[in-house]
Amino acid sequence: MPHDPSRQTEILRAELKQAVMTAFCDALHQSQLSPLKVMGLTAEALGAVYREVAEAHRLDTDCPCGWHPKVEADIETLRAALERAARPAPMTDLLMVQAAGRA
Ligand SMILES: [Zn+2]
């Protein structure tokens, strides 16, 4: 893992996305559910992971990471991250993709 924190974040983002994409595709193919329904279950799974980790940090105040969950603010942060990542790319990005596609 590189020491450059922004590079490290980029690598983790790509690895986590690939892991979630693999789990999502497996669940979609094993079920008769719509993609949105499977997306919803995926979002619920992430919420459940948050709750478990947050509860562990409320009970175990000696965790060396020093994180103290603030449920309302944390959930708002997660909601904003989901929205930022899920929204269609801004128009300028689309124009650049189209320009690159024609090149
Ligand atoms: Zn911790």
Side-chain angles (χ1 to χ4, degrees):
M1 207 39 87
H3 287 293
D4 176 359
S6 67
R7 178 89 185 107
Q8 190 175 358
T9 299
E10 200 179 303
I11 291 168
L12 284 172
R13 181 181 287 124
E15 287 177 354
L16 286 166
K17 186 199 164 189
Q18 192 54 56
V20 172
M21 182 65 90
T22 300
F24 169 79
C25 289
D26 288 350
L28 190 66
H29 291 140
Q30 288 164 21
S31 71
Q32 306 296 317
L33 301 174
S34 71
L36 186 61
K37 180 70 184 170
V38 176
M39 291 275 175
L41 293 171
T42 306
E44 281 180 29
L46 181 61
V49 168
Y50 170 83
R51 187 163 66 193
E52 266 185 47
V53 175
E55 275 170 7
H57 281 80
R58 275 201 300 268
L59 301 174
D60 171 22
T61 52
D62 294 333
C63 182
C65 81
W67 180 50
H68 298 288
K70 298 181 186 70
V71 173
E72 292 310 319
D74 294 345
I75 289 174
E76 188 46 47
T77 298
L78 295 176
R79 190 196 304 272
L82 186 143
E83 185 166 345
R84 212 167 39 244
R87 287 233 179 262
M91 218 41 191
T92 49
D93 289 1
L94 289 176
L95 291 172
M96 281 168 63
V97 169
Q98 285 172 0
R102 280 196 300 271

